[in-house]
Amino acid sequence: MKRGFGSDNHSGTHPQILEALTRVQQDHEPSYGTDAYSETALQIFKEHFGPKAEVFFVFNGTAANVLCLKSLTKSYHSVLCSDVSHINVDECASPENLAHCKLWPLPTSDGKLKLEQLQSAIIRRGDQHFSQMKVISLTQPTEYGTVYQLQELKAIITWAHKEGMKVHIDGARLCNAAVHLNISLQELITDLGVDALSFGGTKNGLAFGEAVVVFDPSLKEDIKYYRKQLGQLPSKSRMLAAQFSAYLTNDLWKKIASHSLNMAQLLLQEASKIPQVKITQATESNVVFAIIPKSWVKALREEHFFYVWDEKTTECRWMTTWDTRPEDIMNFTRKMKELADETSSRPLS
Amino acid sequence: MKRGFGSDNHSGTHPQILEALTRVQQDHEPSYGTDAYSETALQIFKEHFGPKAEVFFVFNGTAANVLCLKSLTKSYHSVLCSDVSHINVDECASPENLAHCKLWPLPTSDGKLKLEQLQSAIIRRGDQHFSQMKVISLTQPTEYGTVYQLQELKAIITWAHKEGMKVHIDGARLCNAAVHLNISLQELITDLGVDALSFGGTKNGLAFGEAVVVFDPSLKEDIKYYRKQLGQLPSKSRMLAAQFSAYLTNDLWKKIASHSLNMAQLLLQEASKIPQVKITQATESNVVFAIIPKSWVKALREEHFFYVWDEKTTECRWMTTWDTRPEDIMNFTRKMKELADETSSRPLS
Amino acid sequence: MKRGFGSDNHSGTHPQILEALTRVQQDHEPSYGTDAYSETALQIFKEHFGPKAEVFFVFNGTAANVLCLKSLTKSYHSVLCSDVSHINVDECASPENLAHCKLWPLPTSDGKLKLEQLQSAIIRRGDQHFSQMKVISLTQPTEYGTVYQLQELKAIITWAHKEGMKVHIDGARLCNAAVHLNISLQELITDLGVDALSFGGTKNGLAFGEAVVVFDPSLKEDIKYYRKQLGQLPSKSRMLAAQFSAYLTNDLWKKIASHSLNMAQLLLQEASKIPQVKITQATESNVVFAIIPKSWVKALREEHFFYVWDEKTTECRWMTTWDTRPEDIMNFTRKMKELADETSSRPLS
Amino acid sequence: MKRGFGSDNHSGTHPQILEALTRVQQDHEPSYGTDAYSETALQIFKEHFGPKAEVFFVFNGTAANVLCLKSLTKSYHSVLCSDVSHINVDECASPENLAHCKLWPLPTSDGKLKLEQLQSAIIRRGDQHFSQMKVISLTQPTEYGTVYQLQELKAIITWAHKEGMKVHIDGARLCNAAVHLNISLQELITDLGVDALSFGGTKNGLAFGEAVVVFDPSLKEDIKYYRKQLGQLPSKSRMLAAQFSAYLTNDLWKKIASHSLNMAQLLLQEASKIPQVKITQATESNVVFAIIPKSWVKALREEHFFYVWDEKTTECRWMTTWDTRPEDIMNFTRKMKELADETSSRPLS
């Protein structure tokens, strides 16, 4: 299929990551995370997240989120999250079913939860009839491609901990946020006191694989068993370890994120030139949200695939990825310009 | 690590499968099983299992088993299985927790459930206090490397269906059984009326990946959602599809299985020559079970790693795999012979 | 404790029901629903709900709701409900945990779900990432004491069935609605095609006990086991059966409901005379919702206990019950009038 | 139905308990355990179990067991229990489904787990593939009516705690064991260090109701919410509190247990006189197990109902209860003697 703007999981494996994967196929390695490659990967994660980081590879993002939430909650706990969060609307009730928590979604316009909103959501503490709010789950960057600023995160996390709550970050595209904010992963996660992180791989150039990162040693024992029980303990664990090691070495993660972000900025810039295109969200990650005329959709999608986010308003999601090329964007926006010209030259009936 | 006899998941990816994997990285593909490679893979499965086969790729064997059991049971159903079955003792209660069924393990000496044993286990039908037996789960080949004969399977499945029960096959190494019996997958599974199959990939040369195969179209709708909810819907689904297509094309599955079985026979033959080695199970798949003197274990494991299955009797499990070489076996058994000579020449103290 | 307006579960057992309970203590009866009293109770239910009604006694309202939802859903199904519904905010995530469904709460101002609202909530049919909406749960009367009209119910149920959905009624106080609408239970439930009903006892004069009523015989088998598994199969089942038989005989259910409703109307009438009291919901069941001055609360609650429903607005919930006496209401409203006089005579500072 | 020997839940409510229940129906009480009667009941429990006892009333025995196990386990934990334990074979997989633990049944001939058996069952500590054994669940008295001696319990509990494990007692008929051993409840439970107790009411003369008793204050917070979530928080909690207060006051619990035990001894004594009756278990509680000729069953059950425990051997369970009368036993054994006479006088054909 031609390169499109459907999702960052529509692209294949980044060549350097694929090469790393092919390099670890020789001979025998013990399985289930006890291999030498897994040990190396763990050390590389510690370089990025600090020595207290404990890392658990899992197969996909739903699993990473569920494993984080399961380790942070008991069955009478609720998780506060955005109404558009992946855990709430794109994981087929996996958190409720596998982590046994209740989700408590709050409305957001830009995907970001606000401190005041969280504060007024904390109700009925100690009331046995009411599932007790225990975790705040933030997506960074959000499903709308917006990014929490450091001070926003700090305010939420400080307050949450004061309230006896925990903070989970769904970081399926976390490196995009780090590059946007121009800070290290340690500054973005560890230093802020995040309790559990879903660290994305698949959407950033890996063939498959995500990592759960936690810092509290008491969680480690539970997660070891929960991962296995959830069907997320990879047997040939070197396959995941090798990919993550490559991703986190020699700034590859930064290069991939920078490229994706640059491509989104190019797309934003070119699309903004077209009067009928209305950008709806700040472009801070690898995605542009825009409303276009409904009549354009079919022709445009034949050129480069993308998703209509909201059928009613024809708000579209255009996502870039590690292999998006400037020519893909120029071709896509050229097509839009053509459609714009057709539209404006069409006589009013 | 040197090649050993620890497990068939200690080896890497078979070169032809790895090559297939690297070939599908170009350009964009839709995700979540809607890509062209997944469609191709499905067709190849249908060639092997018949046109009614529905296939769902998942990440690992625990997940395949859980997905099968979840689709066959309600929460008041029990699953009859062998006491040494993977679902009972090696999946950290994943079936109970994720499939919400109760396991009802029955004792076995060779890993194989007997019809009579199953018949007398069916008790308290209709009694609301008792979890109702609904599924029989057979491992083929078993955890001991023994293989159910066609007539054994037929008798069990026919009886089970007559009782209103369903049959699940844990086929993490199914192709080994097919090659041992010298029959096709269709003859081994479809023609016998198996209801749900966990079809193994990882232990047979894939980097990762298993497939759930079912035949009843009414299960298809449930499994579609259950897979996602269980965190087992791969986003870059071509990664799995390409591997399975290669595995099931040009008899690669047969070649891999034949090689593993031949290596096990060679190991059996050489080990049998050593008087202190007592073979404990029929060698019908890619594994040899044998009791050896306890004093040999340390030195032998330094040469080639393997697991002691039963610490009390020093029964060991020696597993071969697609990349086991005759010289590995000759070296291993030579070492055993040396230890045997040392032992027998050691003066009685 | 003095009689108050806290809840209809603050009152004891209705004398006629208590007497029935004491009458069934002699001799032995088989347990678990196989006793003669349970059979009699079932026949009485059938007189009220029609011959197809299947009845399962459980201990409390949370259990009745969970049992209904569990029997109507698979784990990838969602339940549409009001944001203030008992299942969403007062059962400590029991539906998510025990019925394994996801709740999808919709905002309501009077506790009643509107057809249009439900229609636009049905999204992403067939999308494996999204928990599929399967059940609509309506509370009748609602948590606000409002009552769905027959035509409202009919429109929702007809539409729901056309969409392949099921309808559950949380009828913890169902008889109040039937009396308000002046119709039979059969007209209110069976004739409308309700799929599963939680029929309340505890809040209507029983010592304890609720009943799950379903009409589809295929649900009967599942519920039999689910009830036991949920810890809701009473062993001395005659204790529940006798109470329900008394409740549903000689119009006792109507008398209890009528009395409660009359008391609520008296309270409404008296409270409405006080200018500072602002009635906030239609009084159609056994409860009055009203905003009063915050300064009144303490003194008023010392006289007769009640709950402040909304601390911000001082909206209060005043609930009547089978044993509420006119003098309780007159005393309560007299106290309010005194407080009103004090307030209005207080000089402005 | 005539009085039989079917079960101690076939009898009604003990008159003194019923009277207590009828006495607490006046006026209003707050619900959900905050009423004055619940406070009184708690104090009475503390008199029996010591000041650290925390008590949670639930509706039935399955619920009590599940609540105990849920509070003691995480989802990767196993519970060691007897193969004939109620949790394993009579609760329709409620522990697995609601407490999310795995049961690990061990074979017993008299219902009692032996220390050596438990010690050799503890395997694979720290192995992520294997559900970790965490709780030992003992039934006291057992399903066979046998009673653990104090020193047996002490040895098991001391060892279990040393191993980092917890001990649960299923005490549906606990008072029978205390009376048999002639010790207080504190000596039988608290002083031995039991972690969680299911304290039975229904089978000992209550209309309904059991109590969960724990001693570790850290469990209290969890259980508060778990009880509600499991659908086991009674709203009119005085109904349970009043019954338990009566049961535990003025030695009523002892009187009820003594009577039941005496009746079992009388039955044992009379039945032992009949040569064809073979007593199979020690009679230490309120039940006699005996093998009788198969041909007797029908006639005997018409006289007084009882259960055949094992159809193959015609082992029968004869259970006494608080309302068993000596004349019931004499009539029952007289009938057996008649059958014995008929049998022995019947000419060999």
Side-chain angles (χ1 to χ4, degrees):
Chain A
M1 195 177 84
K2 232 163 50 174
R3 297 189 186 187
F5 304 100
S7 175
D8 36 17
N9 62 32
H10 286 194
S11 53
T13 312
H14 188 281
Q16 287 176 248
I17 295 169
L18 185 61
E19 198 208 338
L21 181 61
T22 59
R23 265 201 314 265
V24 297
Q25 304 298 341
Q26 309 313 312
D27 294 326
H28 283 193
E29 282 293 327
S31 44
Y32 304 117
T34 57
D35 58 296
Y37 300 107
S38 291
E39 183 52 34
T40 301
L42 174 59
Q43 293 313 316
I44 294 173
F45 266 89
K46 284 178 186 286
E47 285 167 24
H48 285 281
F49 287 98
K52 285 190 171 170
E54 293 293 345
V55 183
F56 297 84
F57 298 127
V58 297
F59 291 111
N60 71 5
T62 296
N65 287 335
V66 164
L67 187 53
C68 285
L69 296 180
K70 193 173 175 77
S71 74
L72 295 178
T73 59
K74 294 180 174 177
S75 70
Y76 59 84
H77 286 150
S78 285
V79 175
L80 287 160
C81 60
S82 154
D83 55 353
V84 297
S85 62
H86 204 262
I87 57 172
N88 191 41
V89 294
D90 291 306
E91 299 184 350
C92 202
S94 192
E96 289 94 338
N97 262 273
L98 304 192
H100 297 301
C101 56
K102 183 180 177 81
L103 299 187
W104 196 266
L106 299 174
T108 53
S109 56
D110 61 355
K112 288 162 70 173
L113 291 166
K114 308 298 178 294
L115 177 58
E116 305 69 44
Q117 177 180 37
L118 292 165
Q119 287 173 328
S120 56
I122 303 297
I123 54 172
R124 298 174 67 179
R125 306 302 270 176
D127 175 352
Q128 64 188 327
H129 301 266
F130 191 71
S131 175
Q132 299 289 297
M133 281 127 179
K134 182 69 183 177
V135 175
I136 294 165
S137 178
L138 307 172
T139 313
Q140 171 79 319
T142 73
E143 288 74 11
Y144 282 125
T146 52
V147 170
Y148 286 94
Q149 296 298 306
L150 266 197
Q151 60 271 34
E152 291 173 322
L153 290 175
K154 195 168 183 178
I156 289 175
I157 296 172
T158 305
W159 167 78
H161 286 170
K162 211 174 293 171
E163 290 284 333
M165 298 181 75
K166 303 286 184 182
V167 177
H168 164 246
I169 301 284
D170 180 351
R173 304 175 176 101
L174 188 76
C175 292
N176 291 351
V179 165
H180 171 76
L181 296 171
N182 194 26
I183 56 174
S184 69
L185 296 170
Q186 167 140 355
E187 288 168 303
L188 182 53
I189 297 297
T190 323
D191 295 353
L192 289 175
V194 167
D195 295 288
L197 166 68
S198 302
F199 183 71
T202 318
K203 285 170 171 164
N204 310 299
L206 274 67
F208 69 102
E210 316 281 302
V212 162
V213 185
V214 295
F215 303 91
D216 176 350
S218 77
L219 295 177
K220 199 184 162 182
E221 181 76 359
D222 283 352
I223 295 182
K224 172 177 135 181
Y225 295 102
Y226 286 153
R227 175 172 62 165
K228 171 65 194 178
Q229 189 173 74
L230 290 169
Q232 294 292 334
L233 177 61
S235 56
K236 295 182 176 176
S237 36
R238 56 174 132 164
M239 308 298 170
L240 280 158
Q243 292 186 80
F244 270 113
S245 291
Y247 178 58
L248 288 175
T249 298
N250 290 334
D251 282 351
L252 181 57
W253 65 276
K254 275 194 194 170
K255 290 169 196 163
I256 287 173
S258 295
H259 177 79
S260 300
L261 266 62
N262 288 341
M263 290 300 98
Q265 288 302 322
L266 179 61
L267 177 49
L268 170 68
Q269 172 194 308
E270 292 301 314
S272 298
K273 294 175 183 167
I274 307 165
Q276 291 94 330
V277 175
K278 189 188 156 202
I279 305 299
T280 54
Q281 295 285 353
T283 302
E284 299 172 343
S285 181
N286 66 325
V287 66
V288 176
F289 278 83
I291 291 174
I292 61 170
K294 198 182 189 69
S295 60
W296 296 8
V297 172
K298 192 165 175 292
L300 209 48
R301 295 224 298 192
E302 276 165 12
E303 201 70 18
H304 294 281
F305 181 79
F306 60 88
Y307 287 101
V308 176
W309 185 261
D310 184 337
E311 293 286 351
K312 287 178 206 149
T313 60
T314 325
E315 186 179 26
C316 301
R317 188 186 80 164
W318 299 327
M319 194 161 263
T320 60
T321 172
W322 67 265
D323 71 349
T324 304
R325 295 166 301 197
E327 56 261 41
D328 300 325
I329 288 166
M330 298 316 291
N331 189 52
F332 185 64
T333 49
R334 186 181 316 118
K335 182 74 191 173
M336 265 197 284
K337 280 165 200 158
E338 289 170 18
L339 288 162
D341 290 346
E342 282 175 38
T343 313
S344 58
S345 65
R346 194 183 299 159
L348 296 169
S349 60
Chain B
M1 196 176 83
K2 236 164 46 176
R3 297 190 187 186
F5 304 99
S7 176
D8 36 18
N9 62 31
H10 286 194
S11 54
T13 313
H14 188 281
Q16 286 177 247
I17 295 170
L18 185 61
E19 197 208 339
L21 181 61
T22 60
R23 266 201 314 264
V24 297
Q25 303 298 340
Q26 308 312 314
D27 294 326
H28 283 192
E29 282 293 326
S31 43
Y32 304 117
T34 58
D35 58 295
Y37 300 107
S38 291
E39 183 52 34
T40 301
L42 174 60
Q43 292 313 316
I44 293 173
F45 267 89
K46 283 178 186 286
E47 286 167 24
H48 286 280
F49 288 97
K52 285 191 172 169
E54 294 293 346
V55 183
F56 297 84
F57 299 127
V58 296
F59 291 110
N60 71 6
T62 297
N65 287 336
V66 164
L67 188 52
C68 286
L69 296 180
K70 192 173 175 77
S71 74
L72 295 177
T73 59
K74 293 180 176 179
S75 70
Y76 58 83
H77 286 150
S78 286
V79 176
L80 287 159
C81 60
S82 154
D83 55 352
V84 296
S85 63
H86 204 264
I87 57 172
N88 190 42
V89 293
D90 290 307
E91 299 185 349
C92 201
S94 194
E96 290 94 336
N97 262 272
L98 305 191
H100 298 300
C101 57
K102 184 180 176 83
L103 299 187
W104 196 267
L106 299 174
T108 53
S109 55
D110 61 356
K112 288 163 69 173
L113 291 166
K114 309 298 179 292
L115 176 58
E116 306 69 43
Q117 176 180 37
L118 292 165
Q119 287 172 329
S120 56
I122 303 297
I123 55 172
R124 299 175 66 178
R125 305 304 270 177
D127 175 351
Q128 62 187 329
H129 300 267
F130 192 70
S131 175
Q132 299 290 297
M133 280 126 180
K134 183 70 183 176
V135 176
I136 294 164
S137 178
L138 308 172
T139 313
Q140 171 78 319
T142 72
E143 288 74 11
Y144 282 125
T146 52
V147 171
Y148 286 93
Q149 296 299 305
L150 266 197
Q151 61 271 33
E152 291 174 322
L153 289 174
K154 196 169 183 178
I156 289 175
I157 296 172
T158 305
W159 167 79
H161 287 170
K162 211 175 294 171
E163 290 285 333
M165 298 182 74
K166 303 287 185 182
V167 177
H168 163 246
I169 301 284
D170 179 351
R173 304 175 176 101
L174 188 77
C175 292
N176 291 351
V179 165
H180 171 77
L181 296 170
N182 195 26
I183 57 174
S184 70
L185 296 169
Q186 168 140 356
E187 289 169 303
L188 182 53
I189 298 296
T190 322
D191 295 353
L192 290 175
V194 167
D195 296 287
L197 166 68
S198 302
F199 182 71
T202 318
K203 286 170 170 162
N204 310 300
L206 273 69
F208 69 103
E210 315 282 302
V212 162
V213 185
V214 296
F215 304 91
D216 176 349
S218 78
L219 295 177
K220 198 185 163 183
E221 180 76 359
D222 283 352
I223 294 182
K224 172 177 136 181
Y225 295 103
Y226 286 153
R227 176 173 60 166
K228 171 65 195 177
Q229 189 173 74
L230 290 170
Q232 294 292 334
L233 177 61
S235 56
K236 295 182 175 175
S237 36
R238 56 173 131 165
M239 309 298 169
L240 279 157
Q243 292 185 80
F244 270 111
S245 292
Y247 178 58
L248 289 175
T249 298
N250 290 335
D251 282 351
L252 181 57
W253 66 276
K254 274 194 193 170
K255 290 168 197 162
I256 287 174
S258 296
H259 177 79
S260 300
L261 266 62
N262 288 341
M263 289 300 99
Q265 289 301 322
L266 179 60
L267 177 48
L268 171 68
Q269 172 193 307
E270 292 301 314
S272 298
K273 293 174 183 168
I274 307 166
Q276 292 95 329
V277 174
K278 188 188 158 202
I279 305 300
T280 54
Q281 296 285 352
T283 302
E284 300 173 343
S285 181
N286 66 324
V287 66
V288 176
F289 278 83
I291 291 174
I292 60 170
K294 197 182 189 68
S295 59
W296 296 8
V297 172
K298 192 164 174 292
L300 209 47
R301 296 225 297 192
E302 276 164 13
E303 201 70 17
H304 294 282
F305 180 80
F306 60 86
Y307 286 102
V308 176
W309 185 260
D310 184 336
E311 291 287 352
K312 287 178 205 148
T313 60
T314 325
E315 186 180 26
C316 301
R317 190 187 79 164
W318 300 325
M319 193 161 264
T320 59
T321 173
W322 67 265
D323 71 351
T324 304
R325 294 165 302 199
E327 55 261 41
D328 299 325
I329 288 166
M330 298 316 290
N331 188 52
F332 185 65
T333 50
R334 186 182 315 121
K335 181 73 191 175
M336 265 197 284
K337 282 166 200 159
E338 288 170 20
L339 288 162
D341 291 346
E342 280 174 41
T343 312
S344 58
S345 65
R346 193 184 300 160
L348 296 171
S349 60
Chain C
M1 195 176 82
K2 230 159 59 170
R3 296 190 187 186
F5 303 100
S7 175
D8 36 17
N9 62 32
H10 286 194
S11 53
T13 313
H14 188 280
Q16 286 177 249
I17 295 169
L18 185 62
E19 198 209 337
L21 180 62
T22 59
R23 265 201 314 264
V24 297
Q25 303 298 340
Q26 308 313 312
D27 294 325
H28 282 194
E29 281 293 325
S31 43
Y32 304 116
T34 58
D35 58 295
Y37 300 107
S38 292
E39 184 52 34
T40 300
L42 174 60
Q43 292 313 317
I44 294 174
F45 266 89
K46 284 178 185 286
E47 286 167 24
H48 286 280
F49 288 97
K52 285 189 173 172
E54 294 293 346
V55 183
F56 298 84
F57 298 126
V58 296
F59 292 110
N60 72 5
T62 297
N65 288 335
V66 164
L67 188 53
C68 286
L69 296 180
K70 192 173 177 78
S71 75
L72 295 177
T73 59
K74 294 180 175 178
S75 70
Y76 59 84
H77 286 149
S78 285
V79 176
L80 287 158
C81 60
S82 153
D83 54 353
V84 296
S85 63
H86 204 263
I87 57 172
N88 191 41
V89 294
D90 290 306
E91 299 183 351
C92 201
S94 193
E96 290 94 335
N97 262 273
L98 304 192
H100 297 301
C101 57
K102 183 179 176 82
L103 299 187
W104 196 266
L106 298 174
T108 53
S109 56
D110 61 356
K112 288 163 69 173
L113 291 166
K114 308 298 179 295
L115 177 58
E116 307 69 44
Q117 177 180 37
L118 291 165
Q119 287 172 327
S120 56
I122 304 296
I123 54 172
R124 299 174 67 178
R125 305 304 270 177
D127 175 352
Q128 64 188 327
H129 301 266
F130 192 70
S131 175
Q132 299 290 297
M133 279 125 180
K134 183 69 182 176
V135 176
I136 294 165
S137 178
L138 307 173
T139 313
Q140 172 77 321
T142 72
E143 287 75 10
Y144 282 125
T146 52
V147 170
Y148 286 93
Q149 296 298 306
L150 265 198
Q151 60 271 34
E152 291 173 322
L153 289 175
K154 196 169 183 177
I156 290 175
I157 296 172
T158 305
W159 167 79
H161 287 170
K162 212 175 293 171
E163 290 285 332
M165 298 181 74
K166 303 287 185 183
V167 177
H168 164 245
I169 301 284
D170 179 352
R173 304 175 177 102
L174 189 77
C175 292
N176 291 350
V179 165
H180 171 77
L181 296 170
N182 195 26
I183 56 175
S184 70
L185 296 170
Q186 168 140 355
E187 289 168 301
L188 182 53
I189 298 296
T190 323
D191 295 353
L192 289 175
V194 167
D195 296 287
L197 165 69
S198 302
F199 182 72
T202 319
K203 286 171 171 162
N204 310 300
L206 273 69
F208 70 102
E210 315 281 302
V212 162
V213 185
V214 296
F215 303 92
D216 176 349
S218 78
L219 295 177
K220 197 184 163 183
E221 180 76 359
D222 284 352
I223 294 182
K224 172 177 136 182
Y225 295 102
Y226 287 153
R227 176 172 61 165
K228 170 65 195 179
Q229 189 174 72
L230 290 170
Q232 294 293 334
L233 177 61
S235 56
K236 295 182 175 175
S237 36
R238 56 174 132 165
M239 309 298 169
L240 279 157
Q243 292 185 79
F244 270 112
S245 292
Y247 178 59
L248 289 175
T249 298
N250 290 334
D251 282 350
L252 181 56
W253 65 276
K254 275 194 193 172
K255 290 168 196 161
I256 288 174
S258 295
H259 177 79
S260 300
L261 267 62
N262 288 341
M263 290 299 99
Q265 288 302 321
L266 179 60
L267 177 48
L268 170 69
Q269 173 193 307
E270 292 302 313
S272 298
K273 294 174 183 169
I274 307 166
Q276 292 95 328
V277 174
K278 189 188 157 202
I279 305 299
T280 54
Q281 296 285 354
T283 302
E284 300 173 343
S285 181
N286 66 324
V287 66
V288 176
F289 278 84
I291 291 174
I292 60 170
K294 196 181 189 70
S295 59
W296 296 8
V297 172
K298 191 162 175 293
L300 210 46
R301 296 225 297 192
E302 277 165 13
E303 201 70 19
H304 294 282
F305 181 79
F306 60 88
Y307 287 101
V308 176
W309 184 261
D310 185 336
E311 292 287 351
K312 287 178 207 151
T313 60
T314 325
E315 186 180 28
C316 301
R317 189 186 80 164
W318 300 326
M319 193 161 263
T320 60
T321 173
W322 67 264
D323 71 350
T324 304
R325 295 165 301 197
E327 56 262 40
D328 300 324
I329 288 166
M330 298 317 290
N331 189 52
F332 185 63
T333 50
R334 186 181 316 119
K335 181 74 191 173
M336 266 197 283
K337 281 165 200 159
E338 288 170 19
L339 288 163
D341 291 346
E342 281 174 41
T343 313
S344 58
S345 64
R346 193 183 300 160
L348 295 170
S349 60
Chain D
M1 196 177 82
K2 232 163 53 176
R3 298 190 186 186
F5 303 99
S7 175
D8 35 18
N9 62 31
H10 285 194
S11 53
T13 312
H14 188 281
Q16 286 177 249
I17 295 170
L18 185 61
E19 197 208 338
L21 181 62
T22 59
R23 265 200 314 264
V24 297
Q25 303 298 340
Q26 308 313 313
D27 294 326
H28 282 194
E29 282 292 326
S31 44
Y32 304 117
T34 58
D35 58 295
Y37 300 107
S38 291
E39 182 53 34
T40 301
L42 174 60
Q43 291 314 317
I44 294 173
F45 266 89
K46 284 178 185 286
E47 286 167 24
H48 285 280
F49 288 98
K52 286 189 171 171
E54 294 293 345
V55 182
F56 297 84
F57 298 126
V58 296
F59 293 110
N60 72 5
T62 297
N65 287 336
V66 164
L67 188 52
C68 286
L69 296 180
K70 193 173 177 75
S71 75
L72 295 177
T73 59
K74 294 179 174 179
S75 70
Y76 59 83
H77 286 150
S78 286
V79 175
L80 288 159
C81 60
S82 153
D83 55 352
V84 296
S85 63
H86 205 263
I87 57 172
N88 190 42
V89 294
D90 290 306
E91 300 184 351
C92 201
S94 193
E96 289 94 337
N97 263 272
L98 305 192
H100 297 300
C101 57
K102 183 179 176 82
L103 298 187
W104 196 266
L106 299 174
T108 53
S109 56
D110 61 355
K112 288 163 69 174
L113 292 166
K114 308 299 179 294
L115 176 59
E116 307 68 44
Q117 177 179 35
L118 292 165
Q119 287 173 328
S120 56
I122 305 296
I123 54 172
R124 298 175 67 178
R125 305 304 269 178
D127 175 351
Q128 64 188 326
H129 301 266
F130 191 71
S131 176
Q132 300 289 297
M133 280 125 179
K134 183 69 183 177
V135 175
I136 294 164
S137 178
L138 308 172
T139 312
Q140 171 79 320
T142 72
E143 288 74 10
Y144 282 125
T146 53
V147 170
Y148 286 93
Q149 296 299 305
L150 266 198
Q151 60 271 34
E152 291 173 322
L153 289 174
K154 195 168 184 179
I156 290 175
I157 296 172
T158 304
W159 167 78
H161 287 171
K162 212 174 293 171
E163 290 285 332
M165 298 182 73
K166 303 287 185 182
V167 176
H168 164 245
I169 301 284
D170 180 351
R173 303 174 177 103
L174 188 77
C175 292
N176 291 350
V179 164
H180 171 76
L181 296 171
N182 195 27
I183 56 173
S184 70
L185 296 170
Q186 167 139 355
E187 288 168 301
L188 182 52
I189 298 296
T190 322
D191 295 352
L192 289 175
V194 167
D195 295 288
L197 166 68
S198 303
F199 183 71
T202 318
K203 286 172 172 162
N204 310 301
L206 273 68
F208 69 103
E210 315 281 302
V212 162
V213 185
V214 296
F215 303 91
D216 176 350
S218 78
L219 295 177
K220 197 184 163 183
E221 180 76 359
D222 283 354
I223 294 181
K224 173 177 137 182
Y225 295 102
Y226 287 153
R227 176 173 61 165
K228 170 65 196 178
Q229 189 174 73
L230 289 170
Q232 293 293 334
L233 177 61
S235 56
K236 295 182 176 175
S237 35
R238 57 175 131 165
M239 309 298 170
L240 280 158
Q243 291 185 80
F244 271 112
S245 292
Y247 178 57
L248 289 175
T249 298
N250 289 335
D251 281 350
L252 181 57
W253 66 276
K254 276 195 193 172
K255 290 169 196 160
I256 288 174
S258 296
H259 178 79
S260 300
L261 266 62
N262 288 341
M263 290 299 99
Q265 288 302 320
L266 179 61
L267 177 48
L268 171 69
Q269 173 193 309
E270 292 301 315
S272 298
K273 294 175 182 167
I274 307 166
Q276 292 94 330
V277 175
K278 189 189 156 201
I279 306 298
T280 54
Q281 295 286 353
T283 302
E284 299 172 342
S285 181
N286 66 323
V287 65
V288 176
F289 278 84
I291 291 175
I292 60 171
K294 198 181 189 68
S295 59
W296 295 9
V297 172
K298 192 164 176 291
L300 208 48
R301 296 226 297 193
E302 277 165 13
E303 201 70 19
H304 295 280
F305 182 78
F306 59 87
Y307 287 101
V308 176
W309 184 261
D310 184 337
E311 292 287 352
K312 286 176 208 152
T313 60
T314 325
E315 185 180 27
C316 301
R317 188 186 80 164
W318 300 325
M319 192 162 264
T320 60
T321 172
W322 68 264
D323 70 351
T324 304
R325 295 165 301 198
E327 56 262 40
D328 299 324
I329 288 166
M330 298 316 290
N331 189 52
F332 185 64
T333 49
R334 186 182 315 119
K335 182 75 191 174
M336 266 197 282
K337 281 165 199 159
E338 288 170 19
L339 288 162
D341 290 346
E342 282 174 39
T343 314
S344 59
S345 65
R346 193 184 300 158
L348 296 169
S349 61

